[in-house]
């Protein structure tokens, strides 16, 4: 009978929000960085809407004790995935309390840093918060969260909402955070690290807090260059004041994505912590605007299911584009739209899943979703669009939404044919190129870009004069980059004049395109190409240094002397390249062992995954391989970042094709940790 009973109750789990409404939760938590565990006491208030015999909370691989409702012991089942509380629940208010402990396999990450320091952070989007905090995988269950966290007093601790108090408890500091409005569980967050904080205020009075590690304080201005401006712009553009009490931005090491819009506290990858030179190629502006826009589109109103995911990602992408338009201008805005249109069109050849489908690709949800809004905005006009957005957000604030909810608000302000529009933009996988080009052609630079792209298969002699005229014009730099791209496979003598014009533009992006497309550098172009080494762009410098070193062996020492103190981005792209080139240059290094050790050190756990991958790629490409390199490569396969672990596996597969390398891997196997042995054994057996 018990089996049947549990089977029956499982059928209503998906619809629990119809029976039970969880209102608030407070959690008092402790983190153990050595054991990589979280534990604490939890207090939920909930209302039973209709009689029900089992209430569930999602909780993966957790231990529970002291499970009480209204201070009375209850029967509960720990399924390993859920805490299921069994009873005869009647309509009314209740309090559920319990203690728990978990060692999460995902969603809560402990990142070891030098000198036994640590960073701790969470990533809940998807249905992952229930790995570290008993909560709800169903986004339709919105709760007011308040977390208190006790941790080493040397660290900053951040969670959602306003910091109500900090209390010293021996060697620990207790941080108490409090939310006032409900949100979906995937937006719950923690971040712990040794940070410094800068505070500003938005025009509307909202406190803005920006966190950086102490070593990065000199990078504050370029990293957060447009953050306050973006905040003020989006409040004005959206027409609804920022719906929360505070906004924070915190970079964390080895983050899984570019950024994540946890309510009130966005986490971002450290790759966006840049100096002024790094800003050229790798700035945070778009991610900054995208994650902030989610605080309206995603956090304030949340798509009821993944079918309507574009209501979050498409909106955040589009409003981020509008924010960038405000900063960088129309040419930038239209150029990005043009580029994404090309990506969508190319993808649609094989991608048969439309926007309104839970299995749609990121490109579809994000970029085609943004294009959908751009077309709608242009079609009904700015005034009507803004009015609809405003009423949509007000009507469904702190609730869940679907596409029809949004379209209902559009219908109130416009007679636009939404049925046809939905079929074209949300239900079809083809891209409406005529409509897109008509809208893009409002921009003069795009008019020229369309002309340039039409000439892809035209002989250079027939388009030369047009190209020269365009390179000499004030056309936007992406147009000129498109011209240089078309020259890549042309004979050098035929394109030399155009390349020189591009270099003379002194626009970094155009010059970078020359660096990237001219990989065989003729001697009479050498001195012109060498000027790229002085560009204020770490990406340009990396490309130019490599290709000059490859093309001109007699000048290698000269290039290495010039670049010997270069570091590059915070992933050490220039330093790792320099080390690999110096070690591969005959008779250059006086201290090759020191250089080898330095490069291998960059592949170790002392550094973030991007740095480690940079170093490993160069070590293997330049055949600087020993047991330590192989061990560090195997270690990569156990990393929580799937991109890095995949790189590790793929690289080992390639190396295993060489019998000598296979023997080396087999030799180091006994010295590896059990996790590393498991990963390497799997690859050896493939």
């Amino acid at each position: 009978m018990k089996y049947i009973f549990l089977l029956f109750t499982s059928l209503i789990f998906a619809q629990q929000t119809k029976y039970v409404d969880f209102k608030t939760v407070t959690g008092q938590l402790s983190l153990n960085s050595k054991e990589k565990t979280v534990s604490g006491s939890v207090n939920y208030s909930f209302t039973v809407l209709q009689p029900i015999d089992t209430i569930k909370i999602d909780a993966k691989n957790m231990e529970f004790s002291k499970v009480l409702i209204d201070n009375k012991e209850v029967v509960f089942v720990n399924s390993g995935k859920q805490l299921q509380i069994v009873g005869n629940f009647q309509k009314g208010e209740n309090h559920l309390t319990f203690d728990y402990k978990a060692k999460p396999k995902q969603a809560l990450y402990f990142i070891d840093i030098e000198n036994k320091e640590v960073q701790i952070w969470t990533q809940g989007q998807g249905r992952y918060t229930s790995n570290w905090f008993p909560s709800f995988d169903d986004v339709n269950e919105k709760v007011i969260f308040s977390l208190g966290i006790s941790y080493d007093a040397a660290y900053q601790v951040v969670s959602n909402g306003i910091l109500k108090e900090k209390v010293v408890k021996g060697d620990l500091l207790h941080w108490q955070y409090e939310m006032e409005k409900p949100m979906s569980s995937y937006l719950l967050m923690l971040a712990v690290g040794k940070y410094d904080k800068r505070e500003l205020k938005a025009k509307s009075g909202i406190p803005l807090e920006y966190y950086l590690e102490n070593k990065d304080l000199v990078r504050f201005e370029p990293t957060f260059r447009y953050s306050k401006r973006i905040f003020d712009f989006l409040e004005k553009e959206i027409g609804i004041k920022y719906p929360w009490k505070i906004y924070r931005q915190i970079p964390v090491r080895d983050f899984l994505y570019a950024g994540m819009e946890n309510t009130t506290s966005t986490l971002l990858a450290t790759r966006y912590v840049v100096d002024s030179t790094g800003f050229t190629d790798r700035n945070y502006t778009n991610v900054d605007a995208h994650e902030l826009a989610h605080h309206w589109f995603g956090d304030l109103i949340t798509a009821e299911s993944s079918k309507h995911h574009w209501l979050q990602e498409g909106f955040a992408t589009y409003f981020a584009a509008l924010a960038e338009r405000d900063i960088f201008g129309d040419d930038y805005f239209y150029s990005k739209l043009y580029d994404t249109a090309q990506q969508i069109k190319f993808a649609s050849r094989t991608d048969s899943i439309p926007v309104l489908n839970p299995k749609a690709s990121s490109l579809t949800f994000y970029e085609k979703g943004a294009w959908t809004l751009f077309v709608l905005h242009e079609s009904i006009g700015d005034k009507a669009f803004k009015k609809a957005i405003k009423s949509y957000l007000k009507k469904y604030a702190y609730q869940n939404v679907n596409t029809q909810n949004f379209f209902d608000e559009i219908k109130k302000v416009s007679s636009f044919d939404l049925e046809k529009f939905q079929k074209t933009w949300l239900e079809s996988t083809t891209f409406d190129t005529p409509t897109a080009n008509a809208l893009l052609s409002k921009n003069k630079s795009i008019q020229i870009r369309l002309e340039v792209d039409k000439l892809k298969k035209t002989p250079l002699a027939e388009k030369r004069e047009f190209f020269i005229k365009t390179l000499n014009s004030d056309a936007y730099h992406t147009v000129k980059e498109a011209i240089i791209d078309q020259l890549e496979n042309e004979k050098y003598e035929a394109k030399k004049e155009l390349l020189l014009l591009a270099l003379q533009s002194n626009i970094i992006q155009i010059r970078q395109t020359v660096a990237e497309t001219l990989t065989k550098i003729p001697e009479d172009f050498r001195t012109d190409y060498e000027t790229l080494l002085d560009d204020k762009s770490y990406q340009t410098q990396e490309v130019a240094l490599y290709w000059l070193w490859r093309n001109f062996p007699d000048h290698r020492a000269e290039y290495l002397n010039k670049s010997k103190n270069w570091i590059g981005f915070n992933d050490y792209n220039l330093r790792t390249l320099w080390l690999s080139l110096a070690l591969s240059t005959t008779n250059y290094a006086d201290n090759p062992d020191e250089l080898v050790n330095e490069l291998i050190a960059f592949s170790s756990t002392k550094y973030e995954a991007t740095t480690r991958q940079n170093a490993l790629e160069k070590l293997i490409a330049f055949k600087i391989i020993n047991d330590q390199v192989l061990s560090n490569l195997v270690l990569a396969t156990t990393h929580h970042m799937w991109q890095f672990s995949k790189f590790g596996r793929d690289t080992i597969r390639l190396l295993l094709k060489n019998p000598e390398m296979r023997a080396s891997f087999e030799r180091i196997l006994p010295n590896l940790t059990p996790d590393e042995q498991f990963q390497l054994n799997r690859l050896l057996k493939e």
Side-chain angles (χ1 to χ4, degrees), residues 473-485:
S473 74
D474 61 355
Y476 193 56
H477 67 78
T478 54
V479 178
K480 298 177 182 180
E481 289 169 57
I483 289 174
I484 304 306
D485 279 332

Side-chain angles (χ1 to χ4, degrees), residues 623 625 630 651-666 684:
K623 295 184 172 55
I625 301 174
L630 297 181
T651 306
I652 290 170
R653 285 188 183 103
L654 284 173
L655 293 176
L656 287 174
K657 292 178 180 179
N658 180 321
E660 289 181 16
M661 283 288 105
R662 177 174 285 273
S664 296
F665 277 117
E666 288 170 344
L684 286 166

Side-chain angles (χ1 to χ4, degrees), residues 56 58 65 67 84 163 182 207 213 263 291 328 330 356 426 532 543 549 554 595 608-609 665 670:
K56 62 94 180 180
D58 296 304
S65 60
V67 182
Q84 302 170 8
L163 177 62
E213 293 181 43
T263 313
E291 305 309 332
F328 301 124
D330 275 3
L356 275 184
L426 298 178
L532 292 162
V543 172
W549 182 90
D554 293 344
L595 300 187
E608 288 193 70
F665 277 117

Side-chain angles (χ1 to χ4, degrees), residues 153-420:
Y155 286 78
Q156 292 268 3
V157 176
V158 181
S159 188
N160 310 81
I162 295 290
L163 177 62
K164 297 301 287 186
E165 63 175 6
K166 285 196 293 184
V167 180
V168 177
K169 292 185 176 180
D171 293 335
L172 304 180
L173 199 55
H174 184 79
W175 304 67
Q176 189 64 50
Y177 285 90
E178 189 175 284
M179 291 286 292
E180 293 183 358
K181 297 290 186 180
M183 65 183 189
S184 300
S185 295
Y186 76 88
L187 297 164
L188 189 65
M189 63 79 65
L190 282 177
V192 179
K194 290 193 174 179
Y195 290 107
D196 283 275
K197 179 176 69 176
R198 297 275 180 93
E199 298 178 51
L200 299 174
K201 269 201 173 177
K203 283 183 180 178
S204 61
I206 295 291
L208 307 174
E209 295 182 355
Y210 305 99
Y211 291 74
L212 281 176
E213 293 181 43
N214 184 265
K215 67 180 178 63
D216 292 322
L217 283 179
V218 292
R219 298 178 175 187
F220 174 81
E221 189 284 324
T223 298
F224 296 115
R225 180 168 292 173
Y226 294 115
S227 295
K228 182 183 178 300
R229 178 171 174 172
I230 289 167
F231 191 98
D232 292 334
F233 170 81
L234 285 179
E235 279 204 312
K236 184 178 178 183
E237 180 69 20
I238 292 169
I240 298 285
K241 187 179 175 181
Y242 176 76
W244 315 96
K245 293 289 186 181
I246 193 168
Y247 186 51
R248 306 180 182 90
Q249 298 186 74
I250 308 125
V252 296
R253 299 194 185 197
D254 281 338
F255 196 51
L256 294 164
Y257 307 106
M260 176 61 201
E261 73 282 4
N262 313 289
T263 313
T264 73
S265 301
T266 287
L267 299 183
L268 60 130
T270 52
R271 71 188 302 271
Y272 296 110
V273 176
V274 295
D275 58 19
S276 290
T277 301
F279 184 91
T280 303
D281 299 306
R282 192 183 283 185
N283 67 73
Y284 176 51
T285 309
N286 179 265
V287 177
D288 190 340
H290 182 101
E291 305 309 332
L292 178 56
H294 269 312
H295 279 73
W296 286 268
F297 306 103
D299 299 8
L300 175 61
I301 56 172
T302 309
E304 67 182 23
S305 69
S306 49
K307 176 183 178 181
H308 304 282
H309 193 47
W310 82 282
L311 294 175
Q312 292 173 198
E313 299 304 349
F315 275 70
T317 303
Y318 183 57
F319 278 89
L322 293 176
E324 287 189 294
R325 184 183 197 172
D326 176 67
I327 296 166
F328 301 124
D330 275 3
D331 285 343
Y332 182 92
F333 174 75
Y334 281 101
S335 177
K336 280 195 76 171
L337 280 170
Y338 182 85
D339 288 341
T340 58
Q342 302 309 307
Q343 291 170 25
I344 297 163
K345 279 191 282 187
F346 181 79
S348 68
R349 297 175 188 174
T350 54
D351 189 344
S352 59
I353 302 174
V355 175
L356 275 184
N357 188 304
K359 295 182 178 178
S361 67
S362 293
L363 180 68
T364 301
F365 278 137
Y366 287 64
E367 304 300 349
K368 194 169 184 184
W371 255 100
T372 301
L373 288 170
F374 174 58
V375 174
L376 182 62
H377 193 165
E378 294 289 310
S379 299
I380 69 173
D382 189 55
K383 188 176 179 182
F385 184 78
K386 285 180 176 175
K387 188 176 180 181
I389 291 289
K390 199 170 178 178
S391 62
Y392 169 60
L393 289 169
K394 278 188 172 180
K395 183 173 182 178
Y396 297 104
Y398 310 105
Q399 299 176 56
N400 294 82
V401 290
N402 57 43
T403 302
Q404 192 57 51
N405 296 147
F406 174 55
F407 281 177
D408 286 344
E409 299 310 305
I410 297 292
K411 287 175 184 175
K412 293 176 184 177
V413 298
S414 172
S415 58
F416 183 64
D417 187 350
L418 284 169
E419 192 175 328
K420 181 183 176 185

